Amino acid sequence: MDVTETDLRLSDGRQLHLYDTGAEGADPRRTVFWHHGTPNIGAPPVPLFPAASRLGIRWVSYDRPGYGGSTPAPDRDVASAAADTLAVADALGIGDFAVMGHSGGGPHALACGALLPDRVRCVVSASGLAPYGAAGLDWFAGMSESGIASLRAAAAGRAAAEAHAAADEYDPEMFAPADHEALATGWSWFDEVVGPAVASGPAGLVDDGLAYVAPWGFDPGQVAAPVLVLHGGADRSVPSSHAQWLADRCPAGELWLEPADGHISVLNSGAAALEWLVEHC
């Protein structure tokens, strides 16, 4: 699959940097918007290209504000992803579409499902967070110490989040053994999207963290479309209890819990998740 990169100027003057594998050979009903994790740029997931090509899927994505070539929007909330995604779809002449998000992209994919009910046919949230302070969920339980520290800093406000991000170092304990294996093999692709995301500083990461611990601007229970919640039972970055909470709240939610997988390695089930999208869209 070839990826075309372009820039889109929005009505508010911001720019979004877009990625598109193109409509040629793809079923127009099988456009999938990819929502990237934290900190990543928005390039669609190359390890899933063979499955996408086989299934006739067209990938469309963009750098979230503050990452890569997209203009920062420091006060953005999770819900704002719906308006940005709609602007991209309209600019490219895309009608209905599916959304798939990984990690921090999970909440943003759910935002599209909740707020664009006439356009979003189905949703996949992989390794995604539940809303901060969600009723009945011990939000930090099972999360790595570094993850807790980062998100508690975000909950304390922008100054604390920026100070933490400036001093933070990579913590290998945030990943399960299965994740390290995946990152050393098929999902080494993450090297291509993490480095560029932080090359000019942690602004995008900080804005993401602040959005995760603030009101999202929608309720996951609003997502009427079919939702697949894919999660690893050994996830140390986002505990699997978040997945159970989301699957229980989404009216048409379905949980795939992979007990031995972590935050990254669960994407080894990504091809099966794309098949689920094709079946349910």
Side-chain angles (χ1 to χ4, degrees):
M1 283 183 149
D2 294 326
V3 180
T4 300
E5 300 185 37
T6 57
D7 293 314
L8 173 66
R9 185 68 61 179
L10 302 177
S11 60
D12 61 5
R14 290 185 296 118
Q15 174 178 287
L16 291 179
H17 187 69
L18 314 185
Y19 306 82
D20 185 1
T21 61
E24 185 176 351
D27 186 322
R29 298 168 300 174
R30 296 185 181 180
T31 297
V32 178
F33 272 77
W34 170 256
H35 289 271
H36 65 82
T38 303
N40 299 170
I41 59 169
V46 171
L48 295 182
F49 278 14
S53 181
R54 172 172 55 83
L55 294 167
I57 286 172
R58 172 187 183 182
W59 291 108
V60 177
S61 55
Y62 61 90
D63 296 335
R64 213 156 36 244
Y67 287 111
S70 293
T71 308
D75 297 323
R76 60 180 167 88
D77 59 9
V78 174
S80 66
D84 285 350
T85 299
L86 181 60
V88 174
D90 286 348
L92 296 178
I94 297 168
D96 296 347
F97 51 89
V99 289
M100 180 175 185
H102 173 247
S103 186
H108 294 90
L110 290 169
C112 295
L115 301 174
L116 304 174
D118 295 333
R119 303 289 285 274
V120 174
R121 300 172 63 90
C122 46
V123 180
V124 172
S125 172
S127 308
L129 290 158
Y132 185 63
L137 176 64
D138 188 346
W139 205 74
F140 289 110
M143 193 177 291
S144 69
E145 291 184 8
S146 60
I148 292 172
S150 176
L151 290 164
R152 286 201 187 279
R158 178 171 294 277
E162 289 176 342
H164 183 274
D168 195 24
E169 296 182 357
Y170 172 67
D171 173 22
E173 294 300 315
M174 69 186 295
F175 292 127
D179 291 327
H180 289 292
E181 181 179 351
L183 288 166
T185 53
W187 287 96
S188 62
W189 167 80
F190 274 102
D191 292 339
E192 301 175 21
V193 294
V194 172
V198 295
S200 59
L205 182 154
V206 168
D207 291 342
D208 272 353
L210 292 170
Y212 300 145
V213 300
W216 282 7
F218 70 96
D219 184 333
Q222 294 174 242
V223 185
V227 177
L228 173 61
V229 182
L230 174 64
H231 218 100
D235 194 330
R236 298 175 182 173
S237 298
V238 179
S240 61
S241 55
H242 287 237
Q244 186 66 65
W245 190 96
L246 289 169
D248 289 344
R249 296 314 187 277
C250 295
E254 180 178 344
L255 175 62
W256 286 8
L257 185 63
E258 305 295 338
D261 277 321
H263 196 68
I264 303 296
S265 67
V266 75
L267 288 173
N268 289 328
S269 296
L274 292 180
E275 292 174 356
W276 181 94
L277 281 177
V278 168
E279 179 181 348
H280 288 80
C281 289

